[in-house]
Amino acid sequence: MKRVKVGFWGIDSILEFVKITSSSRHKMELVCGSTVVDAKSLLSVLSVKAAQAVELVIHEDCCERLLERLDPYIEHGSLLDRAHHLSA
């Protein structure tokens, strides 16, 4: 299982994220606090707070290609997470 923070910077980024995740065979979800949603569902991804980093949980260890495709979201999630911790 892999867990990474991801972040979004607008509706276009969410649309592209769902396009990437839905084309993958891996089972995955987004976790935001106590909320867990399907990472392949546009409506579900739209329901999480876009202004903060959320955790992407991929239920497989061999997912390097997927992680490479999601790298911009992982980088943005890292930035949002750091900013959140600085303001807390």
Side-chain angles (χ1 to χ4, degrees):
M1 182 181 313
K2 298 276 186 182
R3 294 175 175 268
V4 294
K5 294 281 187 177
V6 295
F8 307 106
W9 52 93
I11 190 69
D12 290 338
S13 71
I14 293 172
L15 292 170
E16 184 62 25
F17 176 85
V18 172
K19 183 177 173 183
I20 293 168
T21 56
S22 63
S23 69
S24 173
R25 63 176 175 79
H26 303 300
K27 181 180 181 327
M28 63 191 93
E29 62 249 347
L30 289 175
V31 179
C32 182
S34 62
T35 304
V36 179
V37 300
D38 182 358
K40 297 181 178 187
S41 165
L42 179 59
L43 289 176
S44 294
V45 176
L46 286 170
S47 72
V48 299
K49 295 177 184 168
Q52 68 182 43
V54 294
E55 187 174 47
L56 174 65
V57 179
I58 305 168
H59 295 276
E60 222 171 291
D61 289 325
C62 298
C63 54
E64 285 74 26
R65 176 141 166 70
L66 174 62
L67 291 173
E68 286 174 12
R69 294 181 69 199
L70 294 174
D71 189 58
Y73 302 93
I74 296 168
E75 287 184 26
H76 195 71
S78 177
L79 291 172
L80 289 172
D81 196 42
R82 275 189 257 154
H84 176 75
H85 283 91
L86 290 174
S87 66

